[in-house]
Amino acid sequence: MQKYITKTPDGTRDLLFEECEIHSQVKNRLSDLFRRRGYYEVVTPALEYYDLFTQPGAAFSQTEMAKLTEPGGRLLVLRPDSTMPIARLVSTRLKEASLPIRLHYSQKVYRVSPGLKGRSNEITQSGVELIGAEGLLYDLETILTAAKALEACGMEDYKIEIGHAGIFGALAAGLPVDAEGREEIRLLIESKSYSALEDLLEGLPESGAADAIRMLPRLFGGREVLEQAAEIFGGKAAEELAYLKELLTRLEPVLGDKINLDLGLVHRNNYYTGVVFRGYLPGSGDTVVSGGRYDKLFDAFGSHRPAVGFAVDDDAIADILLAGRQAQKGSPRKILFAAAGYEMKALARLEELTAGGQVCEVLPLADKQKALSTAKERGAEEIELIGQLTEIIRLV
């Protein structure tokens, strides 16, 4: 017996009916928002060469990528990220385009999460990449667009936390550890593993840098965090802290208490170079929005182009909408039941209704009671019995 013919691979799932409808709504709302803000849609292949994700700053380990080979033996991966493929696209087909370049996408990424049960290996993301854009204006625009993306999906009770990739770099430079040691420390900070971080730092010589790193995961909240950090850091990362203060000053009048600081945001620290941010929603245990500035990524493609962007986890938002049934209700579903000999009349009526935006289908008419029970099973709100005469029956 072929035991796997009725299963989906770990980390994947089928979507049915209302799930598909809500996922489509999320995608469409986000795509419409991005389009209205001047972004052009792009689609990249699901398959990319493995080499693309070994570039400096790609920040994906080979164990995180789903791999296969093409007939010539070259190693391929299912894209674990959309930014690297878009950087490849911009560096080739759009290398002569005027800057800034505004691109948006909605596509799946694939990441292997061994041993992490319940984590998805196939994730639908919608996002933007603002390429050739440097400075405060573009950072503010990107963070506000991320907030509006959540609002466009009906998410009002969200939080966006901002940090700066340069803070960890400035502090870690004072530690007597190699690159591997810094990465271990970074991972402990990202996961807020206080006890493990403490154990590691206790094995190092006492220093102001170690003390500052020790406190980094605890530095989150309002603008008071900046004063605490300035005192703890002892003059280190002063430029980064000043920039975060400037961002917060501009964003608070618009976002209010939805915007906070988290100086322990150190995810993909060898990828991001400036402001980093994440978005969270009640009802989702994972990050729903993740983004930041990545000014060095294009160096791997032979050109320096500062850039900033973010990705939204469409699946996480759709799951919240499904749980609360907050999705925008579509047009009422109708069924047309065609009596024998009146099939073309029913199909003509189908054309008339669907042209006006109505959701409906045609079924053969056996008897009225059977039609009523079938309509209720299929969630119809109204039926039409089409014969020599037409009878309309409202069900709700």
Side-chain angles (χ1 to χ4, degrees):
M1 178 180 177
Q2 294 175 307
K3 62 184 291 187
Y4 294 109
I5 65 172
T6 59
K7 301 178 182 292
T8 64
D10 288 345
T12 67
R13 59 174 175 164
D14 298 315
L15 297 180
L16 291 173
F17 312 142
E18 188 179 12
E19 293 175 306
C20 293
E21 183 177 350
I22 290 180
H23 276 76
S24 293
Q25 285 183 20
V26 171
K27 175 187 181 299
N28 292 339
R29 292 181 192 182
L30 293 172
S31 294
D32 183 60
L33 172 73
F34 300 151
R35 179 186 57 79
R36 287 186 283 109
R37 287 178 172 245
Y39 290 84
Y40 294 92
E41 185 172 14
V42 294
V43 177
T44 65
L47 287 174
E48 294 278 357
Y49 284 113
Y50 173 75
D51 293 354
L52 178 63
F53 295 95
T54 63
Q55 298 303 305
F60 287 100
S61 69
Q62 63 92 15
T63 57
E64 292 180 273
M65 294 184 274
K67 295 176 282 293
L68 62 160
T69 55
E70 65 177 5
R74 286 181 289 270
L75 192 59
L76 304 173
V77 296
L78 291 171
R79 61 170 175 254
D81 164 83
S82 290
T83 302
M84 290 298 293
I86 288 175
R88 171 191 52 73
L89 181 154
V90 169
S91 300
T92 53
R93 298 187 62 184
L94 296 177
K95 63 182 178 180
E96 302 299 333
S98 60
L99 302 178
I101 302 170
R102 298 174 186 270
L103 303 176
H104 80 90
Y105 59 88
S106 180
Q107 55 192 27
K108 292 183 182 295
V109 297
Y110 305 87
R111 297 173 187 172
V112 180
S113 304
L116 297 178
K117 297 299 183 182
R119 295 291 297 272
S120 179
N121 292 338
E122 181 184 47
I123 308 161
T124 305
Q125 291 184 339
S126 295
V128 302
E129 309 293 351
L130 182 46
I131 299 159
E134 189 171 23
L136 179 69
L137 169 64
Y138 294 116
D139 287 349
L140 290 169
E141 177 191 343
T142 304
I143 294 169
L144 287 172
T145 300
K148 292 300 179 184
L150 294 174
E151 292 175 12
C153 295
M155 305 289 106
E156 298 293 337
D157 188 17
Y158 62 86
K159 292 287 185 183
I160 292 180
E161 296 180 349
I162 62 173
H164 198 292
I167 291 175
F168 177 74
L171 298 179
L175 296 175
V177 294
D178 58 14
E180 185 177 339
R182 282 194 296 273
E183 177 61 10
E184 184 179 359
I185 291 170
R186 186 194 69 79
L187 289 171
L188 293 175
I189 294 172
E190 182 177 1
S191 62
K192 298 191 186 298
S193 301
Y194 299 156
S195 59
L197 178 64
E198 183 66 30
D199 290 343
L200 191 154
L201 292 174
E202 279 186 355
L204 301 178
E206 289 189 19
S207 66
D211 291 339
I213 290 285
R214 184 177 282 110
M215 290 299 299
L216 202 53
R218 297 173 172 83
L219 291 173
F220 56 89
R223 61 175 52 243
E224 72 280 355
V225 167
L226 297 173
E227 297 177 7
Q228 297 171 20
E231 184 176 344
I232 293 168
F233 295 171
K236 296 183 178 68
E239 185 177 338
E240 289 82 359
L241 292 176
Y243 190 69
L244 287 177
K245 182 177 181 180
E246 183 71 14
L247 284 173
L248 202 60
T249 299
R250 306 297 183 93
L251 291 169
E252 279 180 329
V254 180
L255 297 178
D257 62 1
K258 296 182 186 297
I259 189 80
N260 281 316
L261 293 165
D262 185 351
L263 304 192
L265 282 182
V266 293
H267 61 299
R268 298 180 71 184
N269 202 255
N270 56 344
Y271 170 86
Y272 290 116
T273 59
V275 64
V276 290
F277 58 91
R278 284 181 168 179
Y280 301 92
L281 292 169
S284 178
D286 294 322
T287 303
V288 179
V289 174
S290 182
R293 174 161 291 282
Y294 53 98
D295 286 348
K296 295 182 180 179
L297 182 64
F298 281 87
D299 294 355
F301 298 92
S303 64
H304 178 71
R305 297 186 181 189
V308 61
F310 66 86
V312 179
D313 186 336
D314 292 26
D315 297 336
I317 291 177
D319 287 345
I320 292 171
L321 290 171
L322 275 164
R325 294 299 190 272
Q326 300 172 29
Q328 177 181 325
K329 192 172 180 59
S331 299
R333 182 174 292 275
K334 177 180 284 196
I335 300 178
L336 310 178
F337 288 94
Y342 294 91
E343 292 85 359
M344 292 307 297
K345 181 179 179 181
L347 291 172
R349 178 64 171 153
L350 176 72
E351 294 297 330
E352 176 188 350
L353 291 171
T354 55
Q358 175 72 60
V359 177
C360 60
E361 61 178 317
V362 177
L363 296 174
L365 175 62
D367 63 71
K368 185 173 181 179
Q369 286 306 120
K370 178 65 174 175
L372 288 169
S373 63
T374 298
K376 289 177 181 177
E377 288 174 5
R378 300 173 81 88
E381 299 181 22
E382 188 174 86
I383 65 172
E384 292 187 18
L385 307 179
I386 299 176
Q388 184 174 7
L389 300 176
T390 297
E391 181 182 359
I392 300 174
I393 303 174
R394 183 77 176 164
L395 301 180
V396 294

